[in-house]
Amino acid sequence: MKSKQATEKMRVSFDLDEVLFVSPQTHETEPELPFPLNRIYTERLRKGTTELIPELQRMGFEVWIYTSSFRSERYIKNLFRHYHIHFDGIVNGERHQKEVQANHAPLPTKLPSRYRISLHIDDEAIICTAGKLYGFNVYQLDAPDKDWKDKIIARVKEIQKKEALQREAARHSGL
């Protein structure tokens, strides 16, 4: 029988603002939703989002949203549903405050390791610094980059390989 750890899928999370939601003035974007949806969901998706998320899921990864935004989980799910994207988990600002910040010393605005997220993609340098301090992997995506999808897939594969080696070493050491 396989161990729980060996059968768990690796989790990858994305921030929303300035990562998946970008300005069409500064970034290439997916086509705008048709009227009247474009009046309800005004955010524009970074070009390639509709390809990357399902590709990561086909590769066997769970894909989450982890944002400090207080948009409701329902709003986020519905917006992405119109792009035919489903997320395996969503952590918004409200959930983070309840589950991570409650009754604890000050912690960063995101703590992906709390949700067993192996890689978090964010635009903020402060989150990257927190990753080093609190021991979670972050890929910083801020400027427009035509190769962003390929770079994220390469980073995910790198972490997946590293985690597999760590599990194998732990198994051999009898832990």
Side-chain angles (χ1 to χ4, degrees):
M1 184 173 163
K2 288 185 178 180
S3 72
K4 181 181 175 190
Q5 209 176 26
T7 59
E8 285 182 0
K9 291 182 174 184
M10 182 175 146
R11 291 181 179 167
V12 178
S13 66
F14 289 85
D15 182 28
L16 288 178
D17 296 305
E18 308 310 322
V19 174
L20 296 184
F21 296 160
V22 295
S23 168
Q25 281 75 40
T26 58
H27 293 73
E28 288 187 60
T29 60
E30 296 289 346
E32 185 176 39
L33 290 171
F35 181 83
L37 296 173
N38 63 352
R39 299 298 183 247
I40 299 166
Y41 305 107
T42 59
E43 296 88 351
R44 297 294 299 275
L45 292 186
R46 182 185 292 260
K47 186 168 182 63
T49 299
T50 59
E51 299 162 359
L52 178 61
I53 304 306
E55 176 65 20
L56 289 169
Q57 290 167 328
R58 278 191 298 275
M59 292 170 67
F61 303 112
E62 285 188 14
V63 182
W64 287 44
I65 291 294
Y66 196 152
T67 180
S68 53
S69 157
F70 282 85
R71 290 178 186 90
S72 72
E73 186 174 331
R74 180 178 175 197
Y75 179 89
I76 295 166
K77 282 182 181 178
N78 286 337
L79 184 156
F80 281 97
R81 182 174 49 89
H82 292 295
Y83 286 99
H84 309 287
I85 296 173
H86 165 78
F87 289 100
D88 300 290
I90 296 173
V91 179
N92 62 7
E94 181 181 4
R95 181 175 174 187
H96 175 85
Q97 280 187 340
K98 282 183 198 172
E99 298 176 1
V100 179
Q101 297 287 8
N103 303 319
H104 296 307
L107 292 170
T109 59
K110 294 180 185 129
L111 193 61
S113 53
R114 166 68 169 81
Y115 298 96
R116 295 184 347 265
I117 293 169
S118 297
L119 176 64
H120 177 67
I121 293 90
D122 209 292
D123 66 305
E124 295 184 39
I126 190 79
I127 300 300
C128 295
T129 301
K132 291 174 187 161
L133 292 172
Y134 290 91
F136 58 87
N137 294 304
V138 184
Y139 178 86
Q140 188 172 8
L141 176 67
D142 50 3
D145 182 351
K146 289 184 186 284
D147 299 322
W148 75 283
K149 297 179 303 184
D150 295 332
K151 290 176 181 176
I152 288 172
I153 288 173
R155 183 73 175 119
V156 165
K157 287 179 178 178
E158 179 184 311
I159 291 170
Q160 183 181 39
K161 185 185 255 185
K162 179 179 142 189
E163 287 182 353
L165 290 172
Q166 288 171 341
R167 281 192 305 274
E168 186 66 20
R171 190 173 67 83
H172 286 301
S173 67
L175 297 177

